[in-house]
mmCIF file with all atom_site columns, all heavy atoms in Angstrom:
data_model
loop_
_atom_site.group_PDB
_atom_site.id
_atom_site.type_symbol
_atom_site.label_atom_id
_atom_site.label_alt_id
_atom_site.label_comp_id
_atom_site.label_asym_id
_atom_site.label_entity_id
_atom_site.label_seq_id
_atom_site.pdbx_PDB_ins_code
_atom_site.Cartn_x
_atom_site.Cartn_y
_atom_site.Cartn_z
_atom_site.occupancy
_atom_site.B_iso_or_equiv
_atom_site.pdbx_formal_charge
_atom_site.auth_seq_id
_atom_site.auth_comp_id
_atom_site.auth_asym_id
_atom_site.auth_atom_id
_atom_site.pdbx_PDB_model_num
ATOM 1   N N   . ASN A 1 20  ? 11.275 13.947  13.810  1.00 0.00 ? 20  ASN A N   1
ATOM 2   C CA  . ASN A 1 20  ? 11.519 12.476  14.001  1.00 0.00 ? 20  ASN A CA  1
ATOM 3   C C   . ASN A 1 20  ? 11.050 12.028  15.460  1.00 0.00 ? 20  ASN A C   1
ATOM 4   O O   . ASN A 1 20  ? 11.264 12.821  16.382  1.00 0.00 ? 20  ASN A O   1
ATOM 5   C CB  . ASN A 1 20  ? 12.989 12.223  13.948  1.00 0.00 ? 20  ASN A CB  1
ATOM 6   C CG  . ASN A 1 20  ? 13.581 12.570  12.550  1.00 0.00 ? 20  ASN A CG  1
ATOM 7   O OD1 . ASN A 1 20  ? 12.845 12.517  11.548  1.00 0.00 ? 20  ASN A OD1 1
ATOM 8   N ND2 . ASN A 1 20  ? 14.793 12.873  12.447  1.00 0.00 ? 20  ASN A ND2 1
ATOM 9   N N   . GLU A 1 41  ? 9.515  6.980   13.044  1.00 0.00 ? 41  GLU A N   1
ATOM 10  C CA  . GLU A 1 41  ? 8.725  7.739   12.136  1.00 0.00 ? 41  GLU A CA  1
ATOM 11  C C   . GLU A 1 41  ? 9.418  9.110   11.839  1.00 0.00 ? 41  GLU A C   1
ATOM 12  O O   . GLU A 1 41  ? 9.924  9.767   12.732  1.00 0.00 ? 41  GLU A O   1
ATOM 13  C CB  . GLU A 1 41  ? 7.282  8.031   12.604  1.00 0.00 ? 41  GLU A CB  1
ATOM 14  C CG  . GLU A 1 41  ? 6.442  8.792   11.661  1.00 0.00 ? 41  GLU A CG  1
ATOM 15  C CD  . GLU A 1 41  ? 5.028  9.005   12.236  1.00 0.00 ? 41  GLU A CD  1
ATOM 16  O OE1 . GLU A 1 41  ? 4.873  10.052  12.936  1.00 0.00 ? 41  GLU A OE1 1
ATOM 17  O OE2 . GLU A 1 41  ? 4.132  8.235   11.942  1.00 0.00 ? 41  GLU A OE2 1
ATOM 18  N N   . LYS A 1 54  ? 2.559  25.567  -13.904 1.00 0.00 ? 54  LYS A N   1
ATOM 19  C CA  . LYS A 1 54  ? 1.254  25.415  -14.374 1.00 0.00 ? 54  LYS A CA  1
ATOM 20  C C   . LYS A 1 54  ? 0.827  23.978  -14.350 1.00 0.00 ? 54  LYS A C   1
ATOM 21  O O   . LYS A 1 54  ? 1.266  23.209  -15.137 1.00 0.00 ? 54  LYS A O   1
ATOM 22  C CB  . LYS A 1 54  ? 1.116  26.011  -15.820 1.00 0.00 ? 54  LYS A CB  1
ATOM 23  C CG  . LYS A 1 54  ? 1.353  27.484  -15.900 1.00 0.00 ? 54  LYS A CG  1
ATOM 24  C CD  . LYS A 1 54  ? 1.171  27.967  -17.314 1.00 0.00 ? 54  LYS A CD  1
ATOM 25  C CE  . LYS A 1 54  ? 1.457  29.517  -17.438 1.00 0.00 ? 54  LYS A CE  1
ATOM 26  N NZ  . LYS A 1 54  ? 1.190  30.008  -18.798 1.00 0.00 ? 54  LYS A NZ  1
ATOM 27  N N   . GLY A 1 63  ? 10.535 23.198  -20.896 1.00 0.00 ? 63  GLY A N   1
ATOM 28  C CA  . GLY A 1 63  ? 9.805  24.316  -20.331 1.00 0.00 ? 63  GLY A CA  1
ATOM 29  C C   . GLY A 1 63  ? 10.447 24.964  -19.107 1.00 0.00 ? 63  GLY A C   1
ATOM 30  O O   . GLY A 1 63  ? 11.612 24.731  -18.794 1.00 0.00 ? 63  GLY A O   1
ATOM 31  N N   . ASP A 1 66  ? 10.073 25.799  -11.709 1.00 0.00 ? 66  ASP A N   1
ATOM 32  C CA  . ASP A 1 66  ? 10.307 26.694  -10.564 1.00 0.00 ? 66  ASP A CA  1
ATOM 33  C C   . ASP A 1 66  ? 10.775 25.843  -9.265  1.00 0.00 ? 66  ASP A C   1
ATOM 34  O O   . ASP A 1 66  ? 10.288 24.727  -9.062  1.00 0.00 ? 66  ASP A O   1
ATOM 35  C CB  . ASP A 1 66  ? 8.973  27.379  -10.153 1.00 0.00 ? 66  ASP A CB  1
ATOM 36  C CG  . ASP A 1 66  ? 8.681  28.543  -10.975 1.00 0.00 ? 66  ASP A CG  1
ATOM 37  O OD1 . ASP A 1 66  ? 9.542  29.034  -11.728 1.00 0.00 ? 66  ASP A OD1 1
ATOM 38  O OD2 . ASP A 1 66  ? 7.467  28.965  -10.987 1.00 0.00 ? 66  ASP A OD2 1
ATOM 39  N N   . VAL A 1 70  ? 7.738  22.649  -1.575  1.00 0.00 ? 70  VAL A N   1
ATOM 40  C CA  . VAL A 1 70  ? 6.449  21.871  -1.538  1.00 0.00 ? 70  VAL A CA  1
ATOM 41  C C   . VAL A 1 70  ? 6.680  20.359  -1.333  1.00 0.00 ? 70  VAL A C   1
ATOM 42  O O   . VAL A 1 70  ? 5.687  19.581  -1.294  1.00 0.00 ? 70  VAL A O   1
ATOM 43  C CB  . VAL A 1 70  ? 5.563  22.164  -2.829  1.00 0.00 ? 70  VAL A CB  1
ATOM 44  C CG1 . VAL A 1 70  ? 5.153  23.593  -2.880  1.00 0.00 ? 70  VAL A CG1 1
ATOM 45  C CG2 . VAL A 1 70  ? 6.330  21.652  -4.008  1.00 0.00 ? 70  VAL A CG2 1
ATOM 46  N N   . SER A 1 81  ? 15.006 -7.008  16.412  1.00 0.00 ? 81  SER A N   1
ATOM 47  C CA  . SER A 1 81  ? 16.509 -7.531  16.428  1.00 0.00 ? 81  SER A CA  1
ATOM 48  C C   . SER A 1 81  ? 16.678 -8.348  17.681  1.00 0.00 ? 81  SER A C   1
ATOM 49  O O   . SER A 1 81  ? 16.016 -8.285  18.729  1.00 0.00 ? 81  SER A O   1
ATOM 50  C CB  . SER A 1 81  ? 17.442 -6.280  16.398  1.00 0.00 ? 81  SER A CB  1
ATOM 51  O OG  . SER A 1 81  ? 17.305 -5.512  17.552  1.00 0.00 ? 81  SER A OG  1
ATOM 52  N N   . ALA A 1 120 ? 5.718  14.143  -9.569  1.00 0.00 ? 120 ALA A N   1
ATOM 53  C CA  . ALA A 1 120 ? 4.773  13.193  -9.105  1.00 0.00 ? 120 ALA A CA  1
ATOM 54  C C   . ALA A 1 120 ? 5.170  12.441  -7.786  1.00 0.00 ? 120 ALA A C   1
ATOM 55  O O   . ALA A 1 120 ? 6.379  12.451  -7.464  1.00 0.00 ? 120 ALA A O   1
ATOM 56  C CB  . ALA A 1 120 ? 4.512  12.153  -10.199 1.00 0.00 ? 120 ALA A CB  1
ATOM 57  N N   . TRP A 1 135 ? 25.449 -10.020 11.897  1.00 0.00 ? 135 TRP A N   1
ATOM 58  C CA  . TRP A 1 135 ? 26.938 -10.122 12.023  1.00 0.00 ? 135 TRP A CA  1
ATOM 59  C C   . TRP A 1 135 ? 27.299 -10.851 13.324  1.00 0.00 ? 135 TRP A C   1
ATOM 60  O O   . TRP A 1 135 ? 26.494 -10.950 14.305  1.00 0.00 ? 135 TRP A O   1
ATOM 61  C CB  . TRP A 1 135 ? 27.638 -8.695  11.983  1.00 0.00 ? 135 TRP A CB  1
ATOM 62  C CG  . TRP A 1 135 ? 27.180 -7.727  13.045  1.00 0.00 ? 135 TRP A CG  1
ATOM 63  C CD1 . TRP A 1 135 ? 27.755 -7.759  14.369  1.00 0.00 ? 135 TRP A CD1 1
ATOM 64  C CD2 . TRP A 1 135 ? 26.328 -6.648  13.055  1.00 0.00 ? 135 TRP A CD2 1
ATOM 65  N NE1 . TRP A 1 135 ? 27.126 -6.729  15.155  1.00 0.00 ? 135 TRP A NE1 1
ATOM 66  C CE2 . TRP A 1 135 ? 26.317 -6.036  14.249  1.00 0.00 ? 135 TRP A CE2 1
ATOM 67  C CE3 . TRP A 1 135 ? 25.443 -6.171  12.003  1.00 0.00 ? 135 TRP A CE3 1
ATOM 68  C CZ2 . TRP A 1 135 ? 25.514 -4.995  14.560  1.00 0.00 ? 135 TRP A CZ2 1
ATOM 69  C CZ3 . TRP A 1 135 ? 24.713 -5.041  12.324  1.00 0.00 ? 135 TRP A CZ3 1
ATOM 70  C CH2 . TRP A 1 135 ? 24.727 -4.427  13.563  1.00 0.00 ? 135 TRP A CH2 1
ATOM 71  N N   . GLY A 1 141 ? 38.289 -22.566 16.898  1.00 0.00 ? 141 GLY A N   1
ATOM 72  C CA  . GLY A 1 141 ? 39.443 -23.159 17.520  1.00 0.00 ? 141 GLY A CA  1
ATOM 73  C C   . GLY A 1 141 ? 39.908 -22.427 18.683  1.00 0.00 ? 141 GLY A C   1
ATOM 74  O O   . GLY A 1 141 ? 39.326 -21.568 19.207  1.00 0.00 ? 141 GLY A O   1
ATOM 75  N N   . LYS A 1 142 ? 41.224 -22.734 19.056  1.00 0.00 ? 142 LYS A N   1
ATOM 76  C CA  . LYS A 1 142 ? 41.861 -22.102 20.231  1.00 0.00 ? 142 LYS A CA  1
ATOM 77  C C   . LYS A 1 142 ? 42.580 -20.840 19.879  1.00 0.00 ? 142 LYS A C   1
ATOM 78  O O   . LYS A 1 142 ? 42.765 -19.948 20.734  1.00 0.00 ? 142 LYS A O   1
ATOM 79  C CB  . LYS A 1 142 ? 42.721 -23.113 20.881  1.00 0.00 ? 142 LYS A CB  1
ATOM 80  C CG  . LYS A 1 142 ? 42.066 -24.239 21.494  1.00 0.00 ? 142 LYS A CG  1
ATOM 81  C CD  . LYS A 1 142 ? 42.985 -25.149 22.246  1.00 0.00 ? 142 LYS A CD  1
ATOM 82  C CE  . LYS A 1 142 ? 42.386 -26.404 22.910  1.00 0.00 ? 142 LYS A CE  1
ATOM 83  N NZ  . LYS A 1 142 ? 43.218 -27.278 23.564  1.00 0.00 ? 142 LYS A NZ  1
ATOM 84  N N   . TYR A 1 144 ? 42.105 -18.889 16.845  1.00 0.00 ? 144 TYR A N   1
ATOM 85  C CA  . TYR A 1 144 ? 41.533 -18.053 15.691  1.00 0.00 ? 144 TYR A CA  1
ATOM 86  C C   . TYR A 1 144 ? 40.110 -17.543 16.150  1.00 0.00 ? 144 TYR A C   1
ATOM 87  O O   . TYR A 1 144 ? 39.443 -18.174 16.951  1.00 0.00 ? 144 TYR A O   1
ATOM 88  C CB  . TYR A 1 144 ? 41.404 -18.741 14.433  1.00 0.00 ? 144 TYR A CB  1
ATOM 89  C CG  . TYR A 1 144 ? 42.865 -19.212 13.857  1.00 0.00 ? 144 TYR A CG  1
ATOM 90  C CD1 . TYR A 1 144 ? 43.419 -20.380 14.210  1.00 0.00 ? 144 TYR A CD1 1
ATOM 91  C CD2 . TYR A 1 144 ? 43.420 -18.268 13.055  1.00 0.00 ? 144 TYR A CD2 1
ATOM 92  C CE1 . TYR A 1 144 ? 44.597 -20.744 13.664  1.00 0.00 ? 144 TYR A CE1 1
ATOM 93  C CE2 . TYR A 1 144 ? 44.738 -18.634 12.474  1.00 0.00 ? 144 TYR A CE2 1
ATOM 94  C CZ  . TYR A 1 144 ? 45.243 -19.827 12.851  1.00 0.00 ? 144 TYR A CZ  1
ATOM 95  O OH  . TYR A 1 144 ? 46.495 -20.216 12.345  1.00 0.00 ? 144 TYR A OH  1
ATOM 96  N N   . ARG A 1 153 ? 18.418 -7.264  1.266   1.00 0.00 ? 153 ARG A N   1
ATOM 97  C CA  . ARG A 1 153 ? 17.429 -6.259  1.280   1.00 0.00 ? 153 ARG A CA  1
ATOM 98  C C   . ARG A 1 153 ? 16.714 -6.191  -0.136  1.00 0.00 ? 153 ARG A C   1
ATOM 99  O O   . ARG A 1 153 ? 17.274 -6.717  -1.111  1.00 0.00 ? 153 ARG A O   1
ATOM 100 C CB  . ARG A 1 153 ? 17.978 -4.845  1.590   1.00 0.00 ? 153 ARG A CB  1
ATOM 101 C CG  . ARG A 1 153 ? 19.072 -4.347  0.621   1.00 0.00 ? 153 ARG A CG  1
ATOM 102 C CD  . ARG A 1 153 ? 19.319 -2.885  0.726   1.00 0.00 ? 153 ARG A CD  1
ATOM 103 N NE  . ARG A 1 153 ? 20.357 -2.460  -0.025  1.00 0.00 ? 153 ARG A NE  1
ATOM 104 C CZ  . ARG A 1 153 ? 20.341 -2.257  -1.310  1.00 0.00 ? 153 ARG A CZ  1
ATOM 105 N NH1 . ARG A 1 153 ? 19.280 -2.426  -2.054  1.00 0.00 ? 153 ARG A NH1 1
ATOM 106 N NH2 . ARG A 1 153 ? 21.431 -1.862  -2.003  1.00 0.00 ? 153 ARG A NH2 1
ATOM 107 N N   . ILE A 1 160 ? 11.349 4.198   -15.234 1.00 0.00 ? 160 ILE A N   1
ATOM 108 C CA  . ILE A 1 160 ? 11.247 3.668   -16.602 1.00 0.00 ? 160 ILE A CA  1
ATOM 109 C C   . ILE A 1 160 ? 10.930 4.811   -17.542 1.00 0.00 ? 160 ILE A C   1
ATOM 110 O O   . ILE A 1 160 ? 10.003 5.555   -17.290 1.00 0.00 ? 160 ILE A O   1
ATOM 111 C CB  . ILE A 1 160 ? 10.297 2.567   -16.680 1.00 0.00 ? 160 ILE A CB  1
ATOM 112 C CG1 . ILE A 1 160 ? 10.651 1.423   -15.663 1.00 0.00 ? 160 ILE A CG1 1
ATOM 113 C CG2 . ILE A 1 160 ? 10.196 1.997   -18.168 1.00 0.00 ? 160 ILE A CG2 1
ATOM 114 C CD1 . ILE A 1 160 ? 9.575  0.358   -15.696 1.00 0.00 ? 160 ILE A CD1 1
ATOM 115 N N   . VAL A 1 182 ? 27.751 -10.793 1.593   1.00 0.00 ? 182 VAL A N   1
ATOM 116 C CA  . VAL A 1 182 ? 28.262 -11.525 2.762   1.00 0.00 ? 182 VAL A CA  1
ATOM 117 C C   . VAL A 1 182 ? 29.717 -11.390 2.807   1.00 0.00 ? 182 VAL A C   1
ATOM 118 O O   . VAL A 1 182 ? 30.381 -11.565 1.848   1.00 0.00 ? 182 VAL A O   1
ATOM 119 C CB  . VAL A 1 182 ? 27.887 -13.044 2.789   1.00 0.00 ? 182 VAL A CB  1
ATOM 120 C CG1 . VAL A 1 182 ? 28.364 -13.796 1.538   1.00 0.00 ? 182 VAL A CG1 1
ATOM 121 C CG2 . VAL A 1 182 ? 28.330 -13.737 4.086   1.00 0.00 ? 182 VAL A CG2 1
ATOM 122 N N   . LEU A 1 192 ? 54.288 -9.800  19.300  1.00 0.00 ? 192 LEU A N   1
ATOM 123 C CA  . LEU A 1 192 ? 55.552 -9.643  18.482  1.00 0.00 ? 192 LEU A CA  1
ATOM 124 C C   . LEU A 1 192 ? 56.141 -8.299  18.952  1.00 0.00 ? 192 LEU A C   1
ATOM 125 O O   . LEU A 1 192 ? 55.468 -7.277  18.910  1.00 0.00 ? 192 LEU A O   1
ATOM 126 C CB  . LEU A 1 192 ? 55.231 -9.644  17.055  1.00 0.00 ? 192 LEU A CB  1
ATOM 127 C CG  . LEU A 1 192 ? 56.476 -9.549  16.100  1.00 0.00 ? 192 LEU A CG  1
ATOM 128 C CD1 . LEU A 1 192 ? 57.363 -10.778 16.217  1.00 0.00 ? 192 LEU A CD1 1
ATOM 129 C CD2 . LEU A 1 192 ? 56.002 -9.472  14.586  1.00 0.00 ? 192 LEU A CD2 1
ATOM 130 N N   . VAL A 1 201 ? 42.476 -12.040 7.524   1.00 0.00 ? 201 VAL A N   1
ATOM 131 C CA  . VAL A 1 201 ? 42.297 -12.321 6.072   1.00 0.00 ? 201 VAL A CA  1
ATOM 132 C C   . VAL A 1 201 ? 40.853 -12.633 5.834   1.00 0.00 ? 201 VAL A C   1
ATOM 133 O O   . VAL A 1 201 ? 40.239 -13.370 6.723   1.00 0.00 ? 201 VAL A O   1
ATOM 134 C CB  . VAL A 1 201 ? 43.136 -13.585 5.681   1.00 0.00 ? 201 VAL A CB  1
ATOM 135 C CG1 . VAL A 1 201 ? 42.890 -13.886 4.185   1.00 0.00 ? 201 VAL A CG1 1
ATOM 136 C CG2 . VAL A 1 201 ? 44.615 -13.277 5.892   1.00 0.00 ? 201 VAL A CG2 1
ATOM 137 N N   . SER A 1 218 ? 14.296 0.081   -25.610 1.00 0.00 ? 218 SER A N   1
ATOM 138 C CA  . SER A 1 218 ? 15.531 -0.658  -25.986 1.00 0.00 ? 218 SER A CA  1
ATOM 139 C C   . SER A 1 218 ? 15.206 -2.126  -25.962 1.00 0.00 ? 218 SER A C   1
ATOM 140 O O   . SER A 1 218 ? 14.557 -2.611  -25.092 1.00 0.00 ? 218 SER A O   1
ATOM 141 C CB  . SER A 1 218 ? 16.638 -0.279  -24.905 1.00 0.00 ? 218 SER A CB  1
ATOM 142 O OG  . SER A 1 218 ? 17.716 -1.133  -25.069 1.00 0.00 ? 218 SER A OG  1
#
Side-chain angles (χ1 to χ4, degrees):
N20 297 334
E41 181 180 86
K54 295 182 179 180
D66 283 344
V70 296
S81 64
W135 64 77
K142 295 182 178 181
Y144 296 89
R153 60 165 171 78
I160 300 176
V182 59
L192 185 65
V201 177
S218 169

